[in-house]
Structures are given as structure tokens and as C-alpha cells.
Short mmCIF file of all heavy atoms in Angstrom, two decimals:
data_model
loop_
_atom_site.label_atom_id
_atom_site.label_comp_id
_atom_site.label_asym_id
_atom_site.label_seq_id
_atom_site.Cartn_x
_atom_site.Cartn_y
_atom_site.Cartn_z
N PRO L 150 0.82 -1.14 -0.04
CA PRO L 150 0.02 -0.03 -0.05
C PRO L 150 0.82 1.22 0.07
O PRO L 150 2.06 1.20 0.40
CB PRO L 150 -0.75 -0.13 1.26
CG PRO L 150 0.09 -0.96 2.15
CD PRO L 150 0.79 -1.95 1.32
N PRO L 151 0.37 2.35 -0.44
CA PRO L 151 1.07 3.61 -0.30
C PRO L 151 1.45 3.90 1.13
O PRO L 151 0.81 3.38 2.06
CB PRO L 151 0.12 4.64 -0.89
CG PRO L 151 -0.81 3.89 -1.64
CD PRO L 151 -0.94 2.59 -1.10
N GLU L 152 2.38 4.68 1.34
CA GLU L 152 2.80 5.08 2.79
C GLU L 152 1.57 5.88 3.39
O GLU L 152 0.69 6.32 2.63
CB GLU L 152 4.05 5.86 2.77
CG GLU L 152 5.28 5.09 2.25
CD GLU L 152 6.49 5.57 2.79
OE1 GLU L 152 6.87 5.56 3.94
OE2 GLU L 152 7.30 6.14 1.83
N THR L 153 1.62 6.04 4.65
CA THR L 153 0.49 6.55 5.47
C THR L 153 -0.20 7.72 4.78
O THR L 153 -1.43 7.78 4.79
CB THR L 153 0.88 6.83 6.89
OG1 THR L 153 1.63 5.82 7.44
CG2 THR L 153 -0.27 7.16 7.70
N LEU L 154 0.51 8.74 4.34
CA LEU L 154 -0.11 9.98 3.87
C LEU L 154 0.05 10.17 2.37
O LEU L 154 -0.15 11.11 1.81
CB LEU L 154 0.57 11.14 4.58
CG LEU L 154 0.34 11.23 6.09
CD1 LEU L 154 1.23 12.34 6.70
CD2 LEU L 154 -1.02 11.32 6.52
N ALA L 155 0.51 9.04 1.74
CA ALA L 155 0.71 9.02 0.24
C ALA L 155 -0.57 8.68 -0.45
O ALA L 155 -1.39 7.84 0.02
CB ALA L 155 1.83 8.06 -0.09
N THR L 156 -0.79 9.23 -1.63
CA THR L 156 -1.98 8.96 -2.46
C THR L 156 -1.66 7.92 -3.47
O THR L 156 -0.58 7.35 -3.49
CB THR L 156 -2.51 10.23 -3.12
OG1 THR L 156 -1.61 10.57 -4.11
CG2 THR L 156 -2.58 11.42 -2.17
N THR L 157 -2.58 7.62 -4.36
CA THR L 157 -2.34 6.68 -5.32
C THR L 157 -1.49 7.25 -6.49
O THR L 157 -1.17 6.52 -7.44
CB THR L 157 -3.69 6.19 -5.91
OG1 THR L 157 -4.55 7.26 -6.20
CG2 THR L 157 -4.34 5.28 -4.94
N ALA L 158 -1.21 8.57 -6.55
CA ALA L 158 -0.32 9.12 -7.46
C ALA L 158 1.07 9.31 -6.82
O ALA L 158 1.15 10.00 -5.79
CB ALA L 158 -0.92 10.54 -7.88
N PRO L 159 1.92 8.52 -7.20
CA PRO L 159 3.32 8.62 -6.58
C PRO L 159 3.87 10.01 -6.49
O PRO L 159 3.82 10.77 -7.58
CB PRO L 159 4.18 7.70 -7.49
CG PRO L 159 3.21 6.71 -8.11
CD PRO L 159 2.05 7.47 -8.29
N GLY L 160 4.42 10.35 -5.37
CA GLY L 160 4.81 11.79 -5.21
C GLY L 160 3.88 12.77 -4.80
O GLY L 160 4.21 13.95 -4.61
N VAL L 161 2.65 12.32 -4.71
CA VAL L 161 1.52 13.25 -4.31
C VAL L 161 0.97 12.81 -2.99
O VAL L 161 0.66 11.57 -2.75
CB VAL L 161 0.39 13.27 -5.34
CG1 VAL L 161 -0.67 14.21 -4.88
CG2 VAL L 161 0.98 13.76 -6.64
N PHE L 162 0.95 13.69 -1.99
CA PHE L 162 0.63 13.34 -0.60
C PHE L 162 -0.63 14.19 -0.18
O PHE L 162 -0.86 15.14 -0.78
CB PHE L 162 1.78 13.61 0.37
CG PHE L 162 3.03 12.89 0.01
CD1 PHE L 162 3.88 13.52 -0.89
CD2 PHE L 162 3.33 11.67 0.44
CE1 PHE L 162 5.14 12.84 -1.33
CE2 PHE L 162 4.50 11.04 0.13
CZ PHE L 162 5.45 11.58 -0.80
N ALA L 163 -1.39 13.70 0.83
CA ALA L 163 -2.57 14.44 1.31
C ALA L 163 -2.52 14.47 2.82
O ALA L 163 -2.19 13.55 3.41
CB ALA L 163 -3.83 13.76 0.78
N VAL L 164 -2.78 15.67 3.35
CA VAL L 164 -2.78 15.87 4.83
C VAL L 164 -3.88 16.69 5.24
O VAL L 164 -4.48 17.49 4.52
CB VAL L 164 -1.38 16.51 5.24
CG1 VAL L 164 -0.25 15.69 4.92
CG2 VAL L 164 -1.27 17.90 4.53
N GLY L 165 -4.36 16.48 6.53
CA GLY L 165 -5.37 17.43 7.03
C GLY L 165 -6.76 16.96 6.67
O GLY L 165 -7.02 15.80 6.33
N ASP L 166 -7.71 17.85 6.75
CA ASP L 166 -9.10 17.57 6.57
C ASP L 166 -9.43 16.95 5.26
O ASP L 166 -10.42 16.25 5.16
CB ASP L 166 -9.94 18.77 6.81
CG ASP L 166 -9.98 19.26 8.28
OD1 ASP L 166 -9.26 18.65 9.13
OD2 ASP L 166 -10.46 20.36 8.56
N ILE L 167 -8.70 17.26 4.26
CA ILE L 167 -8.95 16.75 2.98
C ILE L 167 -8.84 15.26 2.82
O ILE L 167 -9.31 14.60 1.94
CB ILE L 167 -8.10 17.47 1.87
CG1 ILE L 167 -8.71 17.21 0.39
CG2 ILE L 167 -6.67 17.02 1.90
CD1 ILE L 167 -10.14 17.72 0.26
N ARG L 168 -7.99 14.72 3.75
CA ARG L 168 -7.69 13.26 3.71
C ARG L 168 -8.79 12.43 4.33
O ARG L 168 -9.25 12.78 5.45
CB ARG L 168 -6.37 12.97 4.47
CG ARG L 168 -5.66 11.65 4.26
CD ARG L 168 -4.46 11.48 4.98
NE ARG L 168 -4.64 11.61 6.43
CZ ARG L 168 -5.05 10.52 7.17
NH1 ARG L 168 -5.21 9.28 6.54
NH2 ARG L 168 -5.11 10.69 8.46
N ALA L 169 -9.17 11.37 3.68
CA ALA L 169 -10.20 10.51 4.09
C ALA L 169 -9.75 9.87 5.50
O ALA L 169 -8.67 9.40 5.57
CB ALA L 169 -10.52 9.44 3.15
N GLY L 170 -10.60 9.97 6.54
CA GLY L 170 -10.36 9.27 7.79
C GLY L 170 -9.58 10.14 8.68
O GLY L 170 -9.30 9.74 9.80
N SER L 171 -9.28 11.44 8.29
CA SER L 171 -8.50 12.20 9.22
C SER L 171 -9.30 12.74 10.38
O SER L 171 -10.54 12.85 10.23
CB SER L 171 -7.94 13.43 8.40
OG SER L 171 -8.93 14.27 7.87
N MET L 172 -8.63 13.12 11.50
CA MET L 172 -9.40 13.68 12.58
C MET L 172 -9.47 15.08 12.39
O MET L 172 -8.57 15.81 12.15
CB MET L 172 -8.65 13.41 13.86
CG MET L 172 -9.23 13.92 15.07
SD MET L 172 -8.29 13.57 16.61
CE MET L 172 -9.40 14.26 17.84
N LYS L 173 -10.68 15.72 12.41
CA LYS L 173 -10.90 17.12 12.00
C LYS L 173 -10.66 18.00 13.26
O LYS L 173 -11.55 18.49 13.83
CB LYS L 173 -12.36 17.26 11.53
CG LYS L 173 -12.81 16.41 10.34
CD LYS L 173 -11.87 16.54 9.12
CE LYS L 173 -12.36 15.82 7.89
NZ LYS L 173 -11.99 14.39 7.84
N ARG L 174 -9.43 18.19 13.48
CA ARG L 174 -8.90 19.05 14.64
C ARG L 174 -7.65 19.78 14.23
O ARG L 174 -6.87 19.25 13.35
CB ARG L 174 -8.56 18.31 15.87
CG ARG L 174 -9.80 17.67 16.64
CD ARG L 174 -10.57 18.80 17.34
NE ARG L 174 -11.69 18.22 18.20
CZ ARG L 174 -12.86 18.10 17.80
NH1 ARG L 174 -13.26 18.28 16.55
NH2 ARG L 174 -13.83 17.56 18.70
N VAL L 175 -7.46 20.95 14.65
CA VAL L 175 -6.26 21.74 14.20
C VAL L 175 -4.98 21.14 14.56
O VAL L 175 -4.06 21.04 13.71
CB VAL L 175 -6.33 23.19 14.95
CG1 VAL L 175 -5.10 23.90 14.50
CG2 VAL L 175 -7.63 23.94 14.51
N ALA L 176 -4.90 20.53 15.74
CA ALA L 176 -3.69 19.86 16.18
C ALA L 176 -3.31 18.63 15.29
O ALA L 176 -2.18 18.41 14.89
CB ALA L 176 -3.67 19.53 17.62
N ALA L 177 -4.40 17.93 14.95
CA ALA L 177 -4.28 16.69 14.15
C ALA L 177 -3.78 17.15 12.72
O ALA L 177 -2.91 16.49 12.22
CB ALA L 177 -5.49 15.97 14.13
N ALA L 178 -4.30 18.13 12.20
CA ALA L 178 -3.90 18.55 10.92
C ALA L 178 -2.51 19.11 10.86
O ALA L 178 -1.67 18.78 10.07
CB ALA L 178 -4.78 19.79 10.44
#
């Protein structure tokens, strides 16, 4: 599987509220 914050496009990552399953809190983001 891609690494924890990696998307299905190699070299493209997703963080914060836009990421599925993320905790919607400022500190978590």
C-alpha cells in the first residue's frame, strides 16, 4: 500500500481535513 499519507499518485501526498479518515482538529492537521 502507499505510505500513510501518500495517495495513489506517486509523489503526491494528502494531509489534514481533505484526507479521508483524518481527525478534524487543528492539532491533528
Side-chain angles (χ1 to χ4, degrees):
E152 296 199 69
T153 308
L154 302 173
T156 71
T157 49
V161 178
F162 306 86
V164 295
D166 290 358
I167 194 61
R168 191 178 67 81
S171 64
M172 183 180 181
K173 306 300 189 277
R174 289 287 188 270
V175 175

